[in-house]
Amino acid sequence: MSAILSADDLNDFITPGVACIKPVETLPNQRPDELTNPYEVTTEDKVAASNAPPAQITLTDCLACSGCVTSAEAVLVSLQSQTEVLTTLDKHPSLSLDRLLGNGLDDHVNGHGHGADAKLFVASISPQVRASIAVTYGVTERQAGNMIECLLSGPKGLKSGGEHGSGFTWVLDTNTVREAALVLAAEEVQSSTSASASAYANGSTKADLSASPKRPILTSACPGWICYTEKTHPHILPHLSRLKSPQALTGTMVKSVLNQQYGIPPDKVWHLAIMPCFDKKLEASRAELTDTSWQSTPLSPEDVKGVRDVDCVITARELLMLADDRGISFPSISKSPLTNRERVPFPDAKLDAFLFPGSSGRSYSQRNGGAAREAGSSGGYLWHILHTQRALNFPNSQVKIQRGRNADVAEYMLVINEEGKEKVVFKAARYYGFRNIQNLVRRLRPPKPSRMPGARPVGSARRPGARGPNADKGDEQYAYVEVMACPGGCTNGGGQIKVSDVVGLTKGVEGVENGGDQVVSSDQKAWLARLDEAYFSASSDSESDAGEDVEAMDVDEDETDMVNGISRRRIMGILQHWEHLTGVGLDKLVFTSYREVESDVGKSKVSETERVAGLASAVGGGW
């Protein structure tokens, strides 16, 4: 086990490692000369250190360093906070979409006038954040969503203050885009499974399968897990799903359509994501998640860095701080949805129906039953893939769940009855929390070559999920593993409102303090149980707001098309429409890539002269 991961109180928030490449240097204050004895030896602990300013560690620094495994509350993230949200709103007036699309771009985006500094503000909210707000203020999950929307877009919310009275034009539910992510994840596993089978039968080479991840495919929606993998276990990278997270997909969809179809530059669209996890700030800062990955025309040299698909990420805690900083009492915000007159439709009618599924704000899958509790609180990737496999390949199979050594480890199997015996035809697993992830990573470590000529490699571990007589054949190995850094899943993200915060809120303390203890006490465990209850209630909530007209969706449903309330045919139609609008291949829109981050901690620094000399020598040249 890595030394960084050996702490007893290990959780999803690893404090910066001792080998941080950007240390803060403090020098002792010098005493006045008249009080200094030249013959006296003064130790460092007897001299007070100078008051150095706090270290400003940017997200770029954190991503470039491998002294830390994931993000931490101790890292001073200066670019993404509620302060940055208010600063941006106060600096830029809201871009009028009606006037923009009606009068063209010249005067409003690319020209001068009042629109030169204007931006179109868009927000996306995760269901875990809504559940956290719901439990905190004793409201339903839908009412919590209405409160957030009224804060961001309503006339009595953020628009009531600031120099320009700017607010968010659209507030999106990431559940809608998550449906696309689930269908794409199931397609990825189906493609990998069928490709592996055909490759074995036809003797295909390894290069034929290079486009698909290696089995078992591992979830890539958790940025803490991705950061940890890239910096400490690069052998895991070929197993990672190439699919973007719902947060990234939302930003890509909105910015790519507005840019490619309506000519709105990506830097004129400012996308805020409100997520349960601090690690999502790191995800938003990745160079792979910018417009450079989907632009249809080559960028100019000055734009090669790209514009982020997600400009800022704040958490549920920071959302309360955002209201507090604007002088708004969050509990007093209206729990009713905004009226249709206050809502600005998305320019494309088909995407508008997809992104805003009726004025109720409930996604298509929620209106059709939603996912079961067994799907977990992290998006339900494994559960959807399992039932897609059952619908497409094994209609007569049964789902069998076997709990592991703790509640955060579980195996999911599809079994069929053959001659009175159960046969496993598909196997997947769930691993939450770094303690459990270590066991998974250890089993995927490749064997080391033996020093003895002709000897078998040593150190090869048992494949994940493999046991019994078919272990060597791979029949019972995991096909998919849902991995999340947070114990308990995404509802337990570090940015969620804690039970200790609620004590302060009930005493009349405005807002909450970011950071703090992550110790899971007995009260916190009960709090998490209530939070999970609120999260799952979103799918079964039959409450309807007065005067709502829920738009009916025409979908040709069959047993293989509808899985957990999500129509594969409908989602694929939306994705193809997105591809048609932008003129960009779907692979560039929905997939991303990963890279190994090499540590330079403890290594001698190579000067620029030495680096250039090495390059010249490598190509056979010289000075």
Side-chain angles (χ1 to χ4, degrees):
M1 179 181 290
S2 169
I4 299 178
L5 295 174
S6 60
D8 292 335
D9 58 347
L10 181 67
N11 55 27
D12 55 323
F13 293 99
I14 313 298
T15 54
V18 295
C20 181
I21 64 173
K22 194 172 182 180
V24 179
E25 182 180 8
T26 59
L27 299 176
N29 287 326
Q30 298 296 324
R31 295 184 179 182
D33 293 339
E34 62 271 17
L35 299 179
T36 303
N37 185 343
Y39 298 101
E40 178 181 331
V41 177
T42 303
T43 58
E44 193 175 44
D45 59 337
K46 293 182 180 180
V47 182
S50 59
N51 294 325
Q56 294 297 320
I57 304 178
T58 67
L59 293 175
T60 303
D61 294 328
C62 189
L63 286 172
C65 169
S66 56
C68 308
V69 176
T70 70
S71 66
E73 292 177 313
V75 176
L76 303 176
V77 182
S78 61
L79 294 181
Q80 299 188 40
S81 65
Q82 80 281 356
T83 304
E84 176 64 17
V85 177
L86 292 179
T87 300
T88 306
L89 289 173
D90 294 343
K91 184 178 179 181
H92 302 278
S94 293
L95 193 62
S96 174
L97 193 65
D98 292 336
R99 296 169 62 186
L100 174 66
L101 298 178
N103 299 334
L105 302 177
D106 293 339
D107 296 332
H108 298 278
V109 177
N110 296 328
H112 302 286
H114 84 280
D117 294 329
K119 288 184 181 292
L120 184 67
F121 294 100
V122 183
S124 56
I125 318 296
S126 76
Q128 293 86 0
V129 169
R130 292 196 300 273
S132 186
I133 296 294
V135 176
T136 300
Y137 294 105
V139 297
T140 66
E141 189 265 355
R142 191 187 304 183
Q143 289 176 331
N146 294 337
M147 294 172 72
I148 297 173
E149 186 176 16
C150 288
L151 171 66
L152 300 178
S153 299
K156 297 182 180 180
L158 298 179
K159 291 182 178 180
S160 62
E163 180 179 349
H164 303 288
S166 298
F168 287 83
T169 302
W170 296 312
V171 178
L172 308 175
D173 180 3
T174 58
N175 260 339
T176 57
V177 184
R178 178 184 61 89
E179 293 178 0
L182 294 179
V183 170
L184 288 168
E187 288 290 312
E188 188 177 45
V189 173
Q190 176 69 10
S191 175
S192 173
T193 303
S194 58
S196 298
S198 61
Y200 178 80
N202 301 326
S204 299
T205 61
K206 188 176 181 180
D208 296 332
L209 306 178
S210 59
S212 300
K214 295 173 62 176
R215 297 184 67 183
I217 297 178
L218 309 178
T219 316
S220 60
C222 175
W225 154 243
I226 296 301
C227 188
Y228 164 68
T229 300
E230 289 182 325
K231 294 180 177 181
T232 60
H233 297 289
H235 65 274
I236 299 294
L237 298 182
H239 294 274
L240 293 177
S241 168
R242 299 184 300 129
L243 184 63
K244 292 181 181 179
S245 70
Q247 169 184 297
L249 280 175
T250 303
T252 304
M253 176 175 285
V254 172
K255 290 196 176 187
S256 63
V257 171
L258 292 178
N259 176 240
Q260 301 293 327
Q261 183 69 16
Y262 300 100
I264 304 177
D267 60 348
K268 288 295 180 181
V269 182
W270 200 79
H271 178 205
L272 168 70
I274 305 180
M275 294 289 144
C277 175
F278 287 104
D279 291 333
K280 285 294 183 179
K281 299 173 185 281
L282 293 176
E283 177 187 312
S285 301
R286 293 180 65 90
E288 295 86 354
L289 299 178
T290 63
D291 65 327
T292 57
S293 64
W294 51 261
Q295 284 284 10
S296 57
T297 57
L299 297 176
S300 58
E302 56 270 18
D303 295 332
V304 71
K305 188 177 180 180
V307 177
R308 294 176 182 172
D309 293 333
V310 180
D311 296 277
C312 183
V313 177
I314 62 174
T315 62
R317 283 178 162 188
E318 291 169 320
L319 179 66
L320 300 186
M321 297 164 66
L322 176 67
D324 185 39
D325 290 349
R326 197 56 123 191
I328 299 173
S329 174
F330 197 91
S332 64
I333 297 176
S334 172
K335 301 175 181 61
S336 301
L338 297 177
T339 62
N340 289 334
R341 289 181 299 176
E342 296 173 300
R343 192 180 81 84
V344 179
F346 196 79
D348 182 80
K350 190 168 185 177
L351 287 184
D352 181 68
F354 171 68
L355 295 173
F356 302 97
S359 55
S360 66
R362 301 176 71 200
S363 66
Y364 184 77
S365 62
Q366 288 176 314
R367 298 199 306 271
N368 288 273
R373 292 178 181 269
E374 291 83 354
S377 61
S378 301
Y381 285 87
L382 184 152
W383 191 249
H384 188 83
I385 289 170
L386 192 74
H387 282 268
T388 300
Q389 286 290 317
R390 183 184 183 188
L392 295 179
N393 303 326
F394 311 106
N396 297 322
S397 63
Q398 299 295 324
V399 177
K400 185 176 181 180
I401 304 175
Q402 183 174 336
R403 177 174 167 171
R405 62 180 63 188
N406 54 60
D408 285 329
V409 178
E411 287 186 350
Y412 293 74
M413 294 165 283
L414 292 178
V415 297
I416 58 175
N417 195 324
E418 280 191 355
E419 300 177 356
K421 295 183 179 179
E422 286 187 347
K423 177 183 178 182
V424 178
V425 292
F426 185 84
K427 197 171 187 180
R430 175 189 297 164
Y431 280 75
Y432 288 174
F434 276 114
R435 284 193 180 97
N436 299 316
I437 289 174
Q438 283 296 300
N439 295 327
L440 175 68
V441 169
R442 193 176 297 114
R443 293 181 180 183
L444 288 174
R445 185 177 293 117
K448 297 180 180 179
S450 174
R451 296 181 180 180
M452 298 294 295
R456 296 180 59 184
V458 296
S460 56
R462 178 165 50 93
R463 296 289 92 184
R467 65 168 67 95
N470 296 324
D472 294 335
K473 300 179 182 179
D475 295 343
E476 294 189 3
Q477 296 178 14
Y478 294 150
Y480 186 85
V481 183
E482 185 177 286
V483 184
M484 298 290 165
C486 296
C490 292
T491 51
N492 189 30
Q496 298 283 73
I497 301 169
K498 306 297 180 184
V499 66
S500 56
D501 300 327
V502 179
V503 174
L505 291 171
T506 54
K507 292 181 180 179
V509 179
E510 291 292 336
V512 295
E513 181 180 354
N514 207 3
D517 253 340
Q518 299 296 328
V519 178
V520 182
S521 62
S522 56
D523 292 339
Q524 180 66 18
K525 290 181 179 179
W527 175 261
L528 290 176
R530 292 176 55 194
L531 204 157
D532 286 342
E533 183 70 24
Y535 174 82
F536 292 117
S537 70
S539 296
S540 58
D541 186 7
S542 59
E543 173 192 1
S544 61
D545 297 305
E548 285 188 358
D549 292 324
V550 179
E551 180 182 354
M553 300 296 295
D554 254 348
V555 180
D556 184 15
E557 301 175 5
D558 58 47
E559 293 182 358
T560 61
D561 177 61
M562 185 66 67
V563 177
N564 294 331
I566 300 175
S567 167
R568 176 188 176 277
R569 187 176 294 111
R570 169 179 171 268
I571 293 298
M572 295 308 295
I574 293 293
L575 294 175
Q576 290 169 5
H577 182 65
W578 178 17
E579 185 178 26
H580 173 73
L581 285 177
T582 59
V584 180
L586 194 61
D587 56 336
K588 292 185 177 181
L589 295 172
V590 303
F591 292 132
T592 185
S593 59
Y594 314 98
R595 81 281 188 191
E596 178 181 356
V597 179
E598 295 185 3
S599 172
D600 58 358
V601 177
K603 298 179 181 178
S604 58
K605 301 292 182 180
V606 179
S607 66
E608 189 66 16
T609 302
E610 293 174 332
R611 188 182 69 85
V612 174
L615 290 175
S617 176
V619 298
W623 293 101

